[in-house]
Amino acid sequence: MNDMSRVEKQVDTKDIKLDCRDCQVYYGDTHAIKDVSVDIEDKTVTAFIGPSGCGKSTFLRCLNRMNDTIDIARVEGSFKLDGEDIYDKRVDPVQLRAKVGMVFQKPNPFPKSIYDNVAYGPRIHGLAKNKAELDEIVEKSLRRGAIWDEVKDRLDAPGTGLSGGQQQRLCIARAVATEPEVLLMDEPCSALDPIATAQVEELIDELRSRYSVVIVTHSMQQAARVSQKTAFFYLGNLVEFGETGQIFTNPEDPRTESYITGRIG
Amino acid sequence: MTDASMQNAEPGRHSVSLMATDEHTRKRARAEKRFRAYGIVAIATGLFFLVVLFTSILKEGIPAFTRTVVSVDFTLTEQQREESEGVLLKTKAYSDLFITALKSKLDERGLNTEVDEVAIERLLGKVGGTIRTFYTQNPDKIGEQIEFDLAASSRVDGYFKGRVSRDTIQDSRFLQKSDLELVDALEEAGIIKQAFNWPFITGADSGVDNPGGAGIGASVIGSFFMMLVVLGLSLPIGVAASIYLEEFAPRNRFTDLIEVNISNLAAVPSIVFGILGLAVFIQFMHLPQSAPLVGGLVLTLMTLPTIIISTRASLKAVPPSIRDAALGVGASKMQAVFHHVLPLAAPGILTGTIIGLAQALGETAPLLLIGMVGFVARGYPDGFLAGFTEPNSAMPAQIYTWAARADAGFYEKAWGGIIILLMFLLTMNIIAIILRRRFERRW
């Protein structure tokens, strides 16, 4: 498969951006994440794979404290972004989410214009002093989201009127508009057709030059195509974490091998 | 896989032609047909009663919009005014002057010259008060010739509208059989005629013996001020409470209890709110009796559960992905709610509010207990603020008052009042539909 060629690329050792140690997540009485420790490197795409309900999305949502919005969820362990504990009492999740952006499974543009969708984040964080600066941020973000050429003539059109793939790229543009350092993507392509998926994957590879990207995916081929590091979750445990090439060609754990070869999951 | 077995017909499976329906399918088809028939019958019954309701309301209520007037040129001299003001029964004095004028007019035309003043008095409503009020308000008109259109008495009005006929009339101090001859003659002369009943729409309630002068206008104003109070209080309180409960409050036993109680409050009979309003707002807080302010406060209590329930439902209907999206770009919870969730829920909130207001507009029972019934609306309030505190009635309470009065003329007014009330409710519902259509957004 030529898909694997990208994986073969030399992976540099980079700074650790997010250092997660001994993480536990409980939903009420259910122990959803058990003893997970992962190092997420800067300027790297890290993929979380695993069968449905294995906790990969839950873990992803811990990284920008989106689980705070779920009443019954309880998170333990240490999550350090550049050495600072993101679950510290002094940390405001709002500030954290500006640094750790998120793209969701279902494209969820606001029912507003394309321009307002992208400008919303910079507006509430006060990133632009005037209209000209805001225009600039919007254009830059839409270019990074690889959707500028398609929408530049209709920035006032509603974001919900775009196609699924365009909506998802708009959501990515919206997420990068606040200049995050880490970009979390929760199955960003599961609602998209193969062509839109290819566009988004290409985009993820480009985003790697500026951000640390964490992507949750059901598709092992996608993980192999876009990521440098892969973590395999199974039943709330982190089974194996390592270089993507290693995981897909020579997994250490028999469960990883079973999943990759299609015997479980 | 079972591919191989699919090719051969399974043993024990009969091959059935699609052209013939089997008994089981026929049974289901019959059940479906029956169900549709029930539905059509139910809708037809509903429509039938609606038609009956509307025709009876219109049939009974339309006459309230016309009135019988006695139209006479009348001149009051300064001397006559002074004399009339000098006697004990002032309105009677004015009345006598008017009757004299009318009689002389009849004499001029050579009509029924033998009729006496008492007979004419029976034809007219309470004219003295109307005339005196007119000259008190317009003193510069004294000495000028004015054409007065005065409401005829209830029985005469009834004679024109078919309530009273020669066969059914009984001689009484109100109207006698012989008077009808005079009425016919006056109609020929153009002195008694039918006119559109503007005073009914713009006027205030009248005394129990003067249905011709009764109008619903003042109570429309009363209802308007009550609705202002209800809107101004229940919308912000209700929306704030719903947003807090739906978006911010933790889910625990205490909030569950609050939720159950709000649902229960929506089912509490309105008269209970009335007696609560009487005890709290009037007896304890000493707010003015019969005032739209108090009525509005009571109706606010009643409307709040409706608004809270509908607001929460429309907040719930906003997809959680919108909240995630907002939180994901670093909006605070409040920003997510106010920038994204609330605008999407707005059509539902507005609809719920208008439905709640419409319900409050038609509510009578609580108003009975805080004294907004009876002859309270003597006229329009003096100014905007006074509108909240001056005794007034409300449309449904006014209708109730009229329906309870003895004179058949008031019965007709009650139906007319219902038409006006329904027009207001219909308008509010149409506004609700338009707002929902206008602001509804798809995603």
Side-chain angles (χ1 to χ4, degrees):
Chain A
M1 291 206 325
N2 61 357
D3 287 343
M4 299 302 265
S5 60
R6 205 177 283 156
V7 176
E8 307 287 327
K9 280 188 290 195
Q10 178 67 36
V11 179
D12 311 323
T13 41
K14 298 201 175 86
D15 303 332
I16 290 170
K17 189 74 190 168
L18 253 167
D19 172 17
C20 314
R21 290 276 151 265
D22 307 324
C23 308
Q24 321 280 349
V25 179
Y26 302 89
Y27 285 123
D29 296 332
T30 320
H31 198 171
I33 297 280
K34 300 160 192 161
D35 285 326
V36 171
S37 299
V38 175
D39 290 333
I40 290 164
E41 292 170 1
D42 203 6
K43 298 195 173 32
T44 305
V45 179
T46 307
F48 292 172
I49 59 168
S52 290
C54 68
K56 51 193 189 313
S57 290
T58 300
F59 186 70
L60 188 78
R61 290 169 68 94
C62 290
L63 302 181
N64 69 344
R65 293 184 59 174
M66 282 298 274
N67 283 336
D68 288 16
T69 58
I70 302 166
D71 281 337
I72 54 164
R74 193 155 50 84
V75 180
E76 287 170 11
S78 115
F79 295 81
K80 288 200 167 113
L81 177 69
D82 293 328
E84 291 176 329
D85 186 359
I86 61 173
Y87 279 87
D88 193 281
K89 278 201 185 67
R90 286 166 292 178
V91 173
D92 188 333
V94 168
Q95 246 174 316
L96 171 71
R97 288 181 200 134
K99 273 186 151 188
V100 184
M102 188 154 190
V103 176
F104 296 85
Q105 180 172 359
K106 219 182 104 203
N108 56 354
F110 301 127
K112 300 181 182 223
S113 72
I114 293 169
Y115 183 93
D116 286 336
N117 260 285
V118 181
Y120 182 68
R123 266 191 197 131
I124 58 173
H125 293 295
L127 299 182
K129 283 188 205 69
N130 50 46
K131 181 85 172 74
E133 270 186 47
L134 194 60
D135 288 347
E136 205 176 303
I137 291 175
V138 169
E139 180 178 343
K140 198 171 65 185
S141 308
L142 285 170
R143 277 188 197 284
R144 274 190 210 153
I147 192 179
W148 171 253
D149 292 331
E150 290 158 63
V151 300
K152 65 181 175 208
D153 300 325
R154 46 174 177 151
L155 290 176
D156 292 330
T160 40
L162 298 170
S163 74
Q166 288 174 324
Q167 285 191 9
Q168 194 62 303
R169 278 180 285 146
L170 174 63
C171 291
I172 294 172
R174 182 178 66 190
V176 300
T178 53
E179 295 289 343
E181 295 165 23
V182 181
L183 196 56
L184 307 178
M185 298 179 141
D186 190 354
E187 297 181 33
C189 301
S190 67
L192 305 184
D193 68 52
I195 294 168
T197 303
Q199 287 167 330
V200 171
E201 282 177 9
E202 205 174 308
L203 175 59
I204 292 170
D205 202 52
E206 281 162 25
L207 293 173
R208 184 166 69 95
S209 61
R210 304 180 59 92
Y211 313 100
S212 165
V213 179
V214 185
I215 175 170
V216 164
T217 177
H218 266 302
S219 153
M220 284 171 283
Q221 288 82 355
Q222 185 172 56
R225 284 194 299 263
V226 301
S227 71
Q228 285 77 52
K229 290 274 203 164
T230 298
F232 172 58
F233 286 79
Y234 189 61
L235 301 176
N237 293 300
L238 177 66
V239 175
E240 197 166 345
F241 177 53
E243 312 245 320
T244 302
Q246 174 82 19
I247 297 264
F248 279 93
T249 53
N250 191 15
E252 283 170 13
D253 196 288
R255 284 173 293 177
T256 315
E257 195 185 349
S258 306
Y259 182 68
I260 287 166
T261 52
R263 282 200 293 275
I264 58 166
Chain B
M1 276 305 280
T2 54
D3 289 351
S5 61
M6 297 277 277
Q7 284 165 5
N8 306 325
E10 278 174 42
R13 185 163 196 168
H14 306 289
S15 76
V16 179
S17 165
L18 278 175
M19 295 304 134
T21 39
D22 60 12
E23 182 51 33
H24 188 62
T25 316
R26 273 201 295 277
K27 210 172 146 191
R28 285 189 297 179
R30 279 199 301 274
E32 193 175 317
K33 235 177 231 164
R34 271 201 305 279
F35 182 75
R36 284 188 195 188
Y38 295 152
I40 289 169
V41 167
I43 288 174
T45 316
L47 280 179
F48 171 73
F49 281 112
L50 198 68
V51 168
V52 168
L53 180 77
F54 270 106
T55 41
S56 68
I57 287 177
L58 288 178
K59 192 172 141 277
E60 303 271 357
I62 290 288
F65 290 90
T66 54
R67 62 172 187 160
T68 309
V69 290
V70 180
S71 160
V72 178
D73 293 332
F74 178 68
T75 315
L76 183 81
T77 61
E78 184 62 44
Q79 191 196 350
Q80 282 171 323
R81 193 187 77 89
E82 271 166 24
E83 278 170 14
S84 304
E85 290 295 321
V87 297
L88 185 63
L89 298 168
K90 297 185 181 69
T91 53
K92 177 84 172 77
Y94 281 100
S95 193
D96 289 344
L97 283 173
F98 187 79
I99 288 165
T100 316
L102 181 56
K103 185 153 192 316
S104 65
K105 189 160 183 181
L106 293 179
D107 290 340
E108 269 172 40
R109 300 215 186 170
L111 280 162
N112 286 47
T113 39
E114 68 274 17
V115 294
D116 56 351
E117 279 85 351
V118 188
I120 296 177
E121 197 175 359
R122 284 199 293 266
L123 300 189
L124 295 169
K126 300 274 164 186
V127 291
T130 318
I131 294 174
R132 180 167 179 249
T133 312
F134 176 81
Y135 283 111
T136 321
Q137 283 165 359
N138 307 290
D140 52 318
K141 299 280 191 211
I142 293 169
E144 277 178 51
Q145 181 171 313
I146 310 284
E147 190 188 339
F148 278 99
D149 278 345
L150 294 165
S153 79
S154 163
R155 302 290 160 108
V156 175
D157 194 41
Y159 174 65
F160 279 97
K161 286 170 185 171
R163 269 203 316 274
V164 178
S165 73
R166 279 194 167 73
D167 305 326
T168 58
I169 192 167
Q170 288 170 331
D171 287 351
S172 70
R173 68 185 174 92
F174 298 114
L175 196 65
Q176 286 173 0
K177 218 169 238 172
S178 55
D179 296 342
L180 293 179
E181 308 294 334
L182 175 61
V183 170
D184 288 341
L186 285 171
E187 192 192 3
E188 257 170 56
I191 292 175
I192 284 191
K193 59 189 179 192
Q194 296 278 302
F196 186 75
N197 199 352
W198 277 113
F200 175 63
I201 292 171
T202 57
D205 192 13
S206 61
V208 284
D209 48 358
N210 181 21
I216 199 163
S219 56
V220 169
I221 298 295
S223 279
F224 169 75
F225 279 105
M226 282 202 319
M227 289 305 111
L228 277 189
V229 174
V230 175
L231 185 69
L233 288 176
S234 64
L235 186 63
I237 296 176
V239 171
S242 330
I243 290 176
Y244 177 75
L245 282 174
E246 198 56 46
E247 306 281 342
F248 294 95
R251 292 268 176 279
N252 55 30
R253 217 167 261 186
F254 182 64
T255 46
D256 282 350
L257 191 76
I258 290 179
E259 245 167 73
V260 170
N261 274 311
I262 288 172
S263 312
N264 282 342
L265 274 182
V268 168
S270 53
I271 196 137
V272 177
F273 286 107
I275 209 154
L276 178 82
L278 175 66
V280 174
F281 297 129
I282 293 176
Q283 289 169 351
F284 178 72
M285 290 166 72
H286 297 292
L287 291 175
Q289 231 176 39
S290 309
L293 173 68
V294 179
L297 287 172
V298 171
L299 293 178
T300 300
L301 294 180
M302 257 195 56
T303 315
L304 264 178
T306 318
I307 291 188
I308 291 178
I309 288 169
S310 66
T311 304
R312 292 190 65 183
S314 39
L315 287 174
K316 259 197 199 111
V318 176
S321 66
I322 295 292
R323 294 179 183 86
D324 281 349
L327 295 177
V329 293
S332 68
K333 197 147 189 186
M334 201 171 135
Q335 286 173 323
V337 169
F338 280 90
H339 295 167
H340 300 289
V341 178
L342 209 52
L344 288 175
I349 296 174
L350 284 177
T351 315
T353 307
I354 292 172
I355 301 289
L357 280 185
Q359 201 186 339
L361 183 66
E363 199 57 66
T364 323
L367 306 182
L368 304 181
L369 289 174
I370 55 167
M372 292 187 79
V373 282
F375 181 36
V376 283
R378 278 156 209 279
Y380 286 95
D382 323 319
F384 186 75
L385 282 178
F388 290 106
T389 51
E390 272 180 16
N392 204 334
S393 191
M395 274 187 274
Q398 185 67 70
I399 291 165
Y400 171 82
T401 311
W402 285 339
R405 282 184 188 163
D407 198 309
F410 280 115
Y411 184 69
E412 176 189 285
K413 298 278 162 170
W415 285 96
I418 286 172
I419 291 181
I420 293 198
L421 179 63
L422 282 180
M423 270 172 10
F424 274 96
L425 292 177
L426 213 62
T427 314
M428 289 173 85
N429 282 324
I430 288 170
I431 290 172
I433 291 168
I434 290 173
L435 283 177
R436 193 163 48 205
R437 288 272 162 83
R438 179 92 172 67
F439 291 113
E440 209 164 48
R441 280 201 251 188
R442 313 223 168 266
W443 57 86

